[in-house]
């Protein structure tokens, strides 16, 4: 299964914020869209990723003042990205090894989607279900 198949189902909307967006405004976006991370972009170019975990760490370090700080202060600039033609399994492995739950998808340097660990698990389960159904049909001669 390829990342492109996940994007076909979930679409290519990516919630992005500018680096100068305050952490309070980021929280509004995360809550409004019911998501755990946002891409940080300037003129459609990805420059970072910021997740709820960055906010938790920042709050612990800086206290409530963090809410008026820009997301650039807490984002991860070295973003691991993937391509539409990458295998879902490979992307899932990187997420597990490096302990992050979101991977932006780029085509020719442009953001075309974002895949979460939930999307990866859902896709893997679907493949396993299909394999199981095929084996059952084979065993029962269907
Ligand atoms: P997450 O598990 O996605 O909430 O993120 C956990 C930590 O990894 C946070 O510090 C994020 O900024 C960072 N992170 C999330 N996604 C990525 C990614 N694709 N590449 C690099 N760092 C990431």
């Amino acid at each position: 299964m390829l990342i492109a198949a996940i994007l076909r189902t979930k679409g290519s909307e990516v919630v992005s914020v500018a680096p100068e967006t305050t952490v309070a405004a980021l929280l509004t976006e995360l809550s409004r869209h019911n998501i755990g991370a946002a891409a940080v972009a300037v003129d459609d170019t990805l420059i970072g990723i910021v997740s709820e975990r960055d906010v938790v760490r920042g709050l612990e370090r800086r206290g409530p003042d963090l809410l008026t700080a820009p997301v650039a202060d807490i984002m991860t600039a070295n973003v691991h990205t993937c391509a539409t033609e990458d295998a879902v399994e490979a992307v899932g492995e990187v997420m597990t090894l490096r302990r992050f739950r979101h991977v932006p998808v780029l085509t020719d340097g442009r953001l075309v989607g974002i895949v979460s660990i939930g999307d990866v698990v859902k896709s893997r389960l679907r493949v396993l279900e299909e394999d199981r159904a095929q084996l059952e049909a084979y065993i029962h001669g269907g």
Side-chain angles (χ1 to χ4, degrees):
M1 180 83 72
L2 300 183
I3 292 296
I6 292 182
L7 295 189
R8 269 198 294 278
T9 314
K10 76 174 280 191
S12 59
E13 194 209 354
V14 181
V15 175
S16 301
V17 295
E20 61 272 19
T21 306
T22 63
V23 172
L26 166 74
L27 291 178
T28 303
E29 285 300 290
L30 295 182
S31 164
R32 197 158 67 90
H33 295 277
N34 198 22
I35 53 174
V40 184
V42 173
D43 295 333
D44 279 349
T45 301
L46 182 72
I47 64 154
I49 189 162
V50 63
S51 91
E52 52 204 3
R53 191 165 302 172
D54 299 311
V55 178
V56 169
R57 281 196 209 115
L59 278 173
E60 194 273 325
R61 265 200 316 262
R62 291 171 59 168
D65 284 353
L66 181 78
L67 294 175
T68 53
V71 296
D73 283 10
I74 58 167
M75 72 180 191
T76 302
N78 185 15
V79 187
H80 179 85
T81 62
C82 68
T84 52
E85 62 270 26
D86 286 341
V88 174
E89 294 87 335
V91 173
E93 265 171 37
V94 176
M95 285 173 155
T96 306
L97 282 174
R98 294 186 51 188
R99 293 171 191 273
F100 46 65
R101 294 165 291 181
H102 303 87
V103 175
V105 189
L106 298 186
T107 298
D108 298 329
R110 303 190 82 77
L111 258 177
V112 296
I114 190 161
V115 169
S116 75
I117 191 76
D119 300 323
V120 170
V121 169
K122 218 188 296 170
S123 147
R124 300 283 287 141
L125 281 178
R126 209 173 65 210
V127 171
L128 287 173
E129 266 304 311
E130 283 165 10
D131 288 352
R132 191 186 60 87
Q134 271 178 15
L135 278 173
E136 261 185 16
Y138 176 74
I139 288 166
H140 299 301

